[in-house]
Amino acid sequence: MAAEHGRLPPARYHVAALGILAQRGPGGLRAATLCTALGIPIGRIDEEFGSWAGFVEALLEYWEAEQTWAPAELALAVPDARQRVESLKHLATTLPHEAEAAIRAWAHCDPVVRRTQQRVDAQRTEATRQVIAGLGIDDAVARRLATMGIALLAGMQQVHGPVDVAELRAVLDDYERLVLSELD
């Protein structure tokens, strides 16, 4: 739905761009492709974001906020430590995996995307560490397990093409058992 003066809210651009990334990969995300998908004139991106680089920066900020900060805050707000683990697993299975895989591929050739990807991975690792440490697990062990968890998620996104959510859930269940074994 268009906003006043025929303008679209920034989130519409971002959601459409993540969809294009999921379908076509980073090479498929271009101003013309995005404008066509949104049904807007090609110059509109420059009007709204200043430039294509400005749009990419806004897209990465949106992705980081929506797929890292907000989910981490939700998981960490759950009062029960074991329920936080379940919340984190649920959030991990509902990520836009194909778009995330495309962003990881994009990060290999774009330093701006790479810095954002590294920051997102660090934030996700820290949130996971906090959840694991909240179970009463030694902090050094929690850090290693958190790194392992993020590596599992990234690996599932990269290795299997489209992520099979049921398989990801099974892998995360195994991971949870490993984490909980540290309590024994």
Side-chain angles (χ1 to χ4, degrees), residues 59-135:
L59 170 64
L60 294 170
E61 288 172 5
Y62 171 84
W63 172 65
E64 183 174 4
E66 292 298 312
Q67 301 304 324
T68 302
W69 288 112
E73 288 175 6
L74 283 173
L76 293 170
V78 174
D80 179 75
R82 287 191 186 222
Q83 286 295 70
R84 281 193 296 271
V85 173
E86 191 58 39
S87 178
L88 209 55
K89 283 179 9 183
H90 171 74
L91 293 167
T93 60
T94 59
L95 290 171
H97 297 290
E98 288 75 22
E100 294 224 349
I103 290 169
R104 283 190 183 284
W106 193 7
H108 288 289
C109 60
D110 186 309
V112 172
V113 179
R114 182 174 33 258
R115 283 190 297 276
T116 302
Q117 179 68 66
Q118 290 169 338
R119 193 170 51 248
V120 164
D121 286 342
Q123 292 164 0
R124 287 178 177 174
T125 301
E126 175 56 19
T128 304
R129 184 206 61 78
Q130 288 179 35
V131 168
I132 293 170
L135 293 166

